[in-house]
Amino acid sequence: MSRSSDTLTKTRSKTSTKTPPQYKVLLLNDDYTTWDFVVFVLMTFFGKTELEADRGTLEVHQKGVTLAGVYPFEIAETKAAQVIRAARKEGHPFRATVEPE
């Protein structure tokens, strides 16, 4: 007596999660915003330590720009808007921009 068996084949579909495009938040120097405010911004909105914030502040004052962080677009836009809003509230012309990484 012979038995036939059915073969069941399963195929796995490959699912890949695509990471969203990343955007840089850049802080731009001006001649009016105080050192302390830039340190505050880097620590408050970008989670930098005091040492990292001091380094970033030095860079923005010497080179005219510093990289505050890299995020998906919506987060980067929100952080830049928070920086600008805080600056205006304190009377500073400080600016933050967002550009693709």
Side-chain angles (χ1 to χ4, degrees):
M1 182 183 261
S2 95
R3 278 188 182 180
S4 67
S5 62
D6 292 328
T7 305
L8 180 62
T9 306
K10 290 185 178 181
T11 57
R12 289 187 184 171
S13 60
K14 291 184 181 181
T15 57
S16 63
T17 342
K18 198 173 184 182
T19 57
Q22 299 292 293
Y23 290 81
K24 300 182 285 188
V25 179
L26 302 172
L27 303 181
L28 306 175
N29 191 37
D30 60 67
D31 293 332
Y32 305 99
T33 302
T34 65
W35 180 282
D36 290 338
F37 182 78
V38 179
V39 169
F40 165 79
V41 162
L42 287 166
M43 292 176 69
T44 303
F45 300 113
F46 300 97
K48 305 290 185 190
T49 65
E50 190 171 354
L51 180 60
E52 291 169 329
D54 277 335
R55 287 181 184 153
T57 303
L58 181 62
E59 184 174 59
V60 78
H61 284 296
Q62 287 181 341
K63 297 182 179 179
V65 65
T66 194
L67 174 65
V70 179
Y71 308 93
F73 181 74
E74 290 80 12
I75 295 172
E77 279 282 306
T78 298
K79 288 188 176 286
Q82 289 172 326
V83 168
I84 293 167
R85 195 168 32 254
R88 296 309 170 266
K89 183 178 176 186
E90 295 297 317
H92 299 296
F94 197 56
R95 295 183 327 168
T97 62
V98 173
E99 63 181 50
E101 185 178 42

